[in-house]
Amino acid sequence: MGDMLQVTDALTAFEQDACGETELQSAVLRCLDCLNADICKTWLARAEQGSAAPSFCANAARFYRLRQRQDIITS
């Protein structure tokens, strides 16, 4: 999950507690339960910095919201 946070530019918002503990736990569980781990690894290896999370990612919407919060924080 950390790699996805970095690639999607959502890591800074995550580090600044832009999501609550419950939301974090939910995201971790979704990642651990993901059936697309191999596809995810391949995607991460090829993704450009700042890419949106892929549609197969169970946390794509969550990472998008974190990225939006990051944009607000840096504005």
Side-chain angles (χ1 to χ4, degrees):
M1 191 172 99
D3 290 340
M4 187 66 77
L5 284 166
Q6 278 188 306
V7 168
T8 60
D9 287 340
L11 183 61
T12 302
F14 174 80
E15 290 174 335
Q16 294 177 350
D17 286 333
C19 67
E21 187 173 330
T22 302
E23 186 177 5
L24 170 60
Q25 289 172 346
S26 176
V28 169
L29 290 176
R30 284 179 183 226
C31 191
L32 290 172
D33 290 339
C34 182
L35 301 176
N36 298 311
D38 291 335
I39 296 169
C40 184
K41 288 177 188 174
T42 301
W43 184 88
L44 284 167
R46 297 178 180 163
E48 294 183 23
Q49 186 66 35
S51 297
S55 60
F56 63 79
C57 178
N59 286 311
R62 183 169 280 119
F63 293 142
Y64 177 76
R65 285 192 307 274
L66 282 169
R67 188 173 174 175
Q68 285 183 315
R69 291 178 194 163
Q70 175 57 33
D71 290 344
I72 291 168
I73 290 168
T74 58
S75 296

